[in-house]
Amino acid sequence: MTAMTDGSSSSLPAVAPDALPLSRGLPLGERASAALEHPAVQVEVGSLHAYYGRHRVLRDVTFTARPNAVTAIIGPSGCGKSTLIRCLNRMHEVTPGARVEGEVRLDGSSIYAPGIDPVVIRQRIGMVFQRPNPFPTMSIFDNVVAGLKLAGIRDRQLLDEVAERSLQRAALWDEVRDKLKSPGGALSGGQQQRLCIARAIAVEPEVILMDEPASALDPISTLKIEELMDSLRASYTIVIVTHNMQQASRVSDQTAFLTVGDDGAGYLVEFDDTATIFTNPRQRLTEDYISGRFG
Amino acid sequence: MSVVPGQPDRIRTLLSRHRPRYGEPIFRGLVGLASLTVVALIAGLILVIAQQSLTGIAHNGLAFLGGSDWDPVHQVFQALPFIYGTVFTAGTALVLAMLIGVGVAIFLVDLAPAWLARPVGLMVEMLAAIPSVVYGLWGIFVLAPWLRDFVEVPLHDTLGFLPFFSGNPIGIGNLAAVVVLTIMVLPTVAVVSRDVLAAVPISQREAALALGATRWETIRIGVLPYARSGIVGAGILGLARGVGETMAVTMVIGNAPVISLSLFSQGYTMASVIANEFSEATTNLYRSSLLEIGLLLLMVTLLINAVARLLIWRVAYGSTSRSVLA
Ligand SMILES: Nc1ncnc2c1ncn2[C@@H]1O[C@H](COP(=O)(O)OP(=O)(O)OP(=O)(O)O)[C@@H](O)[C@H]1O
Ligand SMILES: [Mg+2]
């Protein structure tokens, strides 16, 4: 993959297309077909409102995360990025008092329709959290296959294969192959985060959500995770939250920019191809934000 | 809001003013003294009891731990029936209290809505506040007859061939002691487990949920393993309470130095024999032998407590990373 030395260009506006990773230069259709291993599904968000108790934190968000693409969600702290991404796999409602209105459609059908089991939705839509949260007492191996074991899969050979493949894809295999039996809590923060990614992809979800997956990581681990996202695109639909504008421009195909409105709720300012958002945004707010002129 | 020019200087000047420091050594001396008193008390207690039981230790030898003959008239003091009684009743009660208590804790932390968890939790805590002797009264007047008529007799008639259900079902005995002890140990186990479970980070639960775990699976893979050593600690604290419990057990166990597997048999515990016989211990040797039992009991409870604290401490403070491994 394109090796990018992190933190190189700090002046932000207008990231030139050729500064993006290789594949980004290609027209979308070509890029997708070049690397497509597995057709993924799209996630449509329609007029989504989210609440904590009576407090509305997201207002009327509508966009579509394209299949086999990385969609980045950017915006200032507290604008509801984490809330939005948690609405996409029905994790928002886990918080007591939290509530969602509006639509989220996975492959055309609503995940909030009555009778839909959130457990099934969360199997189909994997999630990686901002802070690494491996099961600290479980072995590295058991961490990776935890989702499979939950589903009742006991076939040792299959579990072995999946564990190795997932760890390889998460760029962690070489570091842990000799200590698969040691506990997941005994890894470094960056390794733990890659372990969590391996755990999420081991169950072959159709969509992967990542909430600032690299925010606690050093540049090298960050780079590994960015490379991983790039390769995951071939099989999955990916939505990431990031605070790092360069990261958004490097890894994503589409970008959603949220900000906080006058009513204190976050709303979607602009949604477009990443190249457009970063070179030629339609909204003044977007331009100010990505060029660092935002409050 | 803008900072008034010159304000930093003002604050620095105020901060650099000399504060008198003579309070410091006094304060330090006082708290030091207080802690020293506690340490001295415990050490003194152990020392005195150990010293007073020397006569017994010398006379009784190892048979004290291995023999089952307790005959003060002939100066034979062998404590195995009491040790057995304590281990049997406290151990069985602990197993039952763990099953119920951890269940209650899971319910309170992860399943019950807040409006229910609060009052139920308070009620569980109140169980611990009921005086031992009240449990004893209840045990002897209410529980024992009830157990005899509705549990022991039916069990005896159907499963009497098993050693656990052999003998005469009269209500007073090991079963009553186990039930009373279970109720008394339960709040300790439930409340400590609840606090341990509540200390498991949300992120652990979310990790499991996001993998598509159901509620129960989330508790099983995300919560319980994380809380494991703390829950063990809760059990050990409960065990310490069960081992040391005296009044209620003395009232319902029958106080006969018998070693029997049967739940219907009468029994005796270390704590009960001390409570029952201290006033009759007229000879020096008798007195010293009772103190020897006391010493044993003290050592066991101290050890149990120490282990429990260590385990709980590891969950609370060792949290996410390397220290929680074992
Ligand atoms: N559990 C909660 N209960 C109540 N309000 C919450 C809760 N979590 C978040 N909020 C509020 O919802 C709003 C959006 O929070 P959210 O975490 O989604 O922001 P964010 O964009 O992810 O911010 P950051 O970039 O700092 O992570 C904030 O105003 C926050 O105070
Ligand atoms: Mg966030």
Side-chain angles (χ1 to χ4, degrees):
Chain A
M1 204 19 259
T2 342
M4 296 201 54
T5 30
D6 194 48
S8 49
S9 65
S10 53
S11 57
L12 270 178
V15 177
D18 56 0
L20 299 166
L22 269 185
S23 54
R24 204 64 29 84
L26 298 174
L28 262 173
E30 267 176 65
R31 190 201 313 159
S33 60
L36 194 66
E37 284 174 16
H38 183 85
V41 299
Q42 71 179 9
V43 179
E44 296 161 82
V45 179
S47 304
L48 189 84
H49 306 258
Y51 303 79
Y52 286 108
R54 255 171 301 151
H55 185 54
R56 168 148 65 180
V57 294
L58 275 182
R59 172 162 45 85
D60 200 16
V61 175
T62 302
F63 70 93
T64 298
R66 212 168 37 220
N68 294 105
V70 177
T71 300
I73 299 172
I74 61 171
S77 185
C79 70
K81 305 180 294 296
S82 296
T83 306
L84 173 57
I85 206 170
R86 289 165 63 90
C87 290
L88 304 187
N89 67 340
R90 297 197 58 172
M91 283 296 287
H92 180 62
E93 67 207 50
V94 167
T95 308
R99 191 162 57 79
V100 177
E101 283 169 12
E103 272 298 352
V104 176
R105 266 193 263 274
L106 179 65
D107 201 15
S109 49
S110 169
I111 68 169
Y112 282 101
I116 296 289
D117 184 358
V119 166
V120 175
I121 295 301
R122 294 182 200 129
Q123 278 166 352
R124 296 178 63 191
I125 308 183
M127 184 161 205
V128 177
F129 295 83
Q130 179 168 354
R131 302 247 302 272
N133 56 357
F135 301 117
T137 56
M138 248 186 225
S139 71
I140 292 173
F141 179 88
D142 285 338
N143 259 285
V144 179
V145 300
L148 294 142
K149 283 195 168 170
L150 275 182
I153 298 172
R154 290 283 175 276
D155 179 348
R156 187 72 206 181
Q157 202 191 338
L158 178 64
L159 292 179
D160 282 342
E161 280 170 22
V162 171
E164 177 171 347
R165 183 175 135 84
S166 308
L167 285 167
Q168 246 154 8
R169 302 187 73 181
L172 188 59
W173 176 249
D174 292 335
E175 287 154 75
V176 301
R177 60 186 306 166
D178 297 324
K179 49 174 183 177
L180 292 174
K181 291 268 166 297
S182 54
L187 295 172
S188 77
Q191 290 172 329
Q192 288 187 9
Q193 190 61 301
R194 278 176 282 148
L195 179 60
C196 291
I197 292 174
R199 181 176 69 187
I201 59 184
V203 293
E204 295 293 338
E206 295 156 65
V207 179
I208 298 178
L209 311 173
M210 299 189 183
D211 190 352
E212 301 191 48
S215 67
L217 305 186
D218 66 290
I220 296 182
S221 303
T222 303
L223 182 64
K224 283 186 174 156
I225 287 181
E226 287 182 9
E227 288 174 0
L228 170 71
M229 283 190 257
D230 198 59
S231 65
L232 290 179
R233 179 192 283 117
S235 315
Y236 307 98
T237 304
I238 301 170
V239 181
I240 75 158
V241 169
T242 177
H243 258 129
N244 180 330
M245 236 79 62
Q246 287 151 299
Q247 182 171 67
S249 71
R250 278 196 299 267
V251 301
S252 72
D253 305 277
Q254 302 173 282
T255 298
F257 170 58
L258 304 182
T259 196
V260 186
D262 297 332
D263 58 351
Y267 68 100
L268 184 67
V269 177
E270 188 166 355
F271 176 74
D272 214 323
D273 283 347
T274 297
T276 312
I277 291 275
F278 279 88
T279 54
N280 192 18
R282 270 173 292 141
Q283 301 294 328
R284 180 66 196 270
L285 275 173
T286 315
E287 191 179 340
D288 286 354
Y289 185 74
I290 60 169
S291 62
R293 257 173 290 159
F294 189 88
Chain B
M1 208 173 291
S2 68
V3 179
V4 185
Q7 193 166 18
D9 283 341
R10 234 182 91 208
I11 289 174
R12 283 175 201 151
T13 318
L14 286 171
L15 284 178
S16 65
R17 266 195 327 193
H18 180 73
R19 275 174 292 169
R21 296 276 160 86
Y22 45 75
E24 206 82 343
I26 298 179
F27 176 70
R28 226 184 295 174
L30 276 178
V31 293
L33 196 69
S35 354
L36 216 66
T37 314
V38 174
V39 174
L41 267 176
I42 294 182
L45 190 75
I46 296 177
L47 268 179
V48 169
I49 293 184
Q51 189 249 328
Q52 302 248 329
S53 46
L54 281 180
T55 318
I57 295 174
H59 178 270
N60 302 329
L62 273 180
F64 178 78
L65 297 174
S68 28
D69 202 6
W70 184 262
D71 185 357
V73 179
H74 297 101
Q75 305 215 323
V76 181
F77 299 101
Q78 300 173 341
L80 190 60
F82 313 122
I83 300 172
Y84 173 83
T86 295
V87 170
F88 179 80
T89 52
T92 315
L94 178 71
V95 171
L96 296 176
M98 283 294 274
L99 291 175
I100 305 171
V102 175
V104 168
I106 290 174
F107 175 76
L108 291 180
V109 174
D110 275 297
L111 304 177
W115 62 264
L116 191 61
R118 282 266 189 121
V120 173
L122 268 176
M123 254 140 76
V124 174
E125 282 169 29
M126 261 160 57
L127 274 185
I130 299 176
S132 181
V133 67
V134 175
Y135 278 114
L137 275 181
W138 173 78
I140 201 156
F141 290 133
V142 182
L143 179 71
W146 187 87
L147 281 177
R148 179 192 59 215
D149 296 343
F150 297 103
V151 180
E152 297 190 353
V153 169
L155 276 177
H156 185 259
D157 291 349
T158 50
L159 297 167
F161 57 90
L162 290 173
F164 313 109
F165 308 124
S166 63
N168 243 350
I170 62 165
I172 303 292
N174 286 334
L175 182 61
V178 164
V179 173
V180 167
L181 268 184
T182 302
I183 298 172
M184 298 183 74
V185 168
L186 179 66
T188 308
V189 173
V191 168
V192 177
S193 304
R194 177 194 63 185
D195 295 347
V196 166
L197 292 183
V200 174
I202 302 277
S203 65
Q204 285 294 306
R205 296 180 169 84
E206 293 192 335
L209 285 172
L211 275 180
T214 61
R215 261 188 184 198
W216 163 239
E217 288 164 345
T218 301
I219 293 164
R220 186 164 59 79
I221 73 167
V223 179
L224 290 180
Y226 195 96
R228 191 176 48 193
S229 48
I231 289 175
V232 173
I236 296 179
L237 278 183
L239 186 60
R241 169 130 214 244
V243 166
E245 175 47 41
T246 311
M247 200 58 217
V249 174
T250 308
M251 290 165 82
V252 299
I253 200 171
N255 300 322
V258 187
I259 297 183
S260 166
L261 267 184
S262 172
L263 283 168
F264 308 160
S265 165
Q266 278 73 66
Y268 222 150
T269 66
M270 293 197 268
S272 304
V273 74
I274 297 175
N276 275 330
E277 301 195 1
F278 76 94
S279 56
E280 306 155 17
T282 43
T283 68
N284 203 16
L285 179 62
Y286 194 174
R287 214 174 72 101
S288 184
S289 298
L290 283 182
L291 278 158
E292 194 180 347
I293 297 182
L295 181 68
L296 191 63
L297 195 54
L298 181 68
M299 295 311 230
V300 171
T301 37
L302 279 184
L303 187 75
I304 290 175
N305 259 292
V307 173
R309 308 260 161 207
L310 189 74
L311 289 170
I312 294 173
W313 183 83
R314 287 215 321 211
V315 173
Y317 303 99
S319 45
T320 43
S321 59
R322 288 143 222 251
S323 51
V324 116
L325 312 182

